[in-house]
């Protein structure tokens, strides 16, 4: 039992620093969401419960208008699927990483937001840290940050008087940093460059509001077709680096 406790504590200690940037962004956005719910006429119970059970920032903002409008479950389902369809690709990418995580797998799937996916997919987890517990704490902490921010915003929203416009840029800046960190870890930047180029082409073709899903589909197809080539190039560069080190 003591050994298990130490293992869990070690995983929490390793995961927490990765989530600190998320804390800043989620608190700003969560509080903004809670305030938005408050000024829209909803009690703090709404953002509190929705942040726990839905845990999807974009759709939670959209849900406010759905709750104020006519009851239309089919429209709600289609809207949610369209906005969060990118999570299908996240799930495919995490199939191997989630394998062997036991009962934690269900929560990892439920709580896999953009930020948790980015950390769990790219983080260099120390060898003495349990991978399943590490990903669990990353997901749990990020979930708690959003929940606490949304709840506080709902409770104190009527007392806050400042312009929250532009706070969402915190998350954009965070993803830029994550991309740069991944770039520095790569020996071959082909996949990253392709991702940027294909995303820009889809942005030009489909517009700002509709380019994400087509871009992810195109990137998935292109990288799948080029997988063997990219793996051979990566293995060749690793061999050259090891040879040079020796």
């Amino acid at each position: 039992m003591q050994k298990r406790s130490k293992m869990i504590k070690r995983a929490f200690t390793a995961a927490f620093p990765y989530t600190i940037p998320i804390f800043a962004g989620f608190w700003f956005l969560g509080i903004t969401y809670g305030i938005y719910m408050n000024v829209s006429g909803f009690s703090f119970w709404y953002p509190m419960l929705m942040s726990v059970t839905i845990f999807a920032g974009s759709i939670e903002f959209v849900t406010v208008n759905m709750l104020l409008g006519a009851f239309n479950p089919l429209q709600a389902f289609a809207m949610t699927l369209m906005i969060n369809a990118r999570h299908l690709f996240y799930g495919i990418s995490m199939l191997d990483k989630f394998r062997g995580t036991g009962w934690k797998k269900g929560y990892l799937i439920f709580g896999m937001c953009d930020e948790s996916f980015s950390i769990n997919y790219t983080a260099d987890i120390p060898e003495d840290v349990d991978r399943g517990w590490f990903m669990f704490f990353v997901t749990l902490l990020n979930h708690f940050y959003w929940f606490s921010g949304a709840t506080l915003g709902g409770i104190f929203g009527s007392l806050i008087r400042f312009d929250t416009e532009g706070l969402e840029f915190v998350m954009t800046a965070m993803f830029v940093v994550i991309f740069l960190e991944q770039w520095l870890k790569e020996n071959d930047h082909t996949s990253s460059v392709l991702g940027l180029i294909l995303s820009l082409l889809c942005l030009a073709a489909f517009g700002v509001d509709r380019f994400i899903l087509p871009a992810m589909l195109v990137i998935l197809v292109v990288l799948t077709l080029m997988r063997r080539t990219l793996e051979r190039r990566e293995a060749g560069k690793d061999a050259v680096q090891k040879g040079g080190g020796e």
Side-chain angles (χ1 to χ4, degrees), residues 18-233:
Y18 282 92
T19 67
I20 292 175
I22 314 300
F23 168 71
F26 269 23
W27 250 46
F28 275 120
L29 290 178
I31 289 173
T32 302
Y33 165 64
I35 294 171
Y36 181 42
M37 288 289 287
N38 180 276
V39 299
S40 298
F42 294 97
S43 166
F44 78 94
W45 289 102
Y46 280 84
M48 184 178 74
L49 294 176
M50 287 168 60
S51 63
V52 171
T53 56
I54 299 177
F55 189 40
S58 300
I59 196 63
E60 286 183 54
F61 277 94
V62 174
T63 302
V64 179
N65 292 326
M66 293 183 184
L67 291 173
L68 293 173
F71 178 67
N72 191 335
L74 291 178
Q75 180 187 19
F77 173 79
M79 182 72 71
T80 303
L81 181 62
M82 180 179 66
I83 292 176
N84 290 321
R86 64 190 184 282
H87 288 198
L88 295 170
F89 303 97
Y90 295 169
I92 293 172
S93 301
M94 297 299 288
L95 285 174
D96 290 334
K97 292 183 179 291
F98 283 175
R99 187 173 288 116
T101 54
W103 62 267
K104 296 182 284 295
K105 183 176 181 179
Y107 179 68
L108 291 173
I109 294 171
F110 163 76
M112 187 172 59
C113 61
D114 298 342
E115 296 75 17
S116 296
F117 165 77
S118 299
I119 295 174
N120 287 332
Y121 187 79
T122 62
D124 289 327
I125 304 174
E127 294 183 1
D128 62 339
V129 173
D130 182 84
R131 176 175 52 86
W133 279 110
F134 176 90
M135 294 190 294
F136 174 82
F137 281 123
V138 166
T139 306
L140 181 65
L141 286 167
N142 289 341
H143 195 174
F144 175 73
Y145 300 152
W146 178 257
F147 160 77
S148 59
T151 302
L152 289 174
I155 293 174
F156 300 108
S158 59
L159 305 177
I160 298 175
R161 295 287 185 272
F162 65 90
D163 186 5
T164 60
E165 185 178 357
L167 289 176
E168 66 275 6
F169 184 74
V170 173
M171 307 311 293
T172 303
M174 185 201 67
F175 277 115
V176 171
V177 172
I178 290 174
F179 173 80
L180 292 175
E181 288 181 349
Q182 183 65 18
W183 177 279
L184 294 174
K185 292 177 184 178
E186 294 174 340
N187 293 324
D188 184 357
H189 301 304
T190 304
S191 58
S192 295
V193 173
L194 280 173
L196 288 173
I197 293 174
L198 293 173
S199 296
L200 290 173
L201 290 175
C202 288
L203 175 62
F206 298 98
V208 175
D209 297 327
R210 297 185 179 88
F211 85 98
I212 293 180
L213 188 56
M216 297 188 77
L217 281 168
V218 173
I219 291 171
L220 177 65
V221 171
V222 171
L223 293 183
T224 299
L225 294 174
M226 297 183 62
R227 179 179 177 181
R228 294 185 182 278
T229 302
L230 293 173
E231 287 178 347
R232 284 196 296 267
R233 291 179 61 177

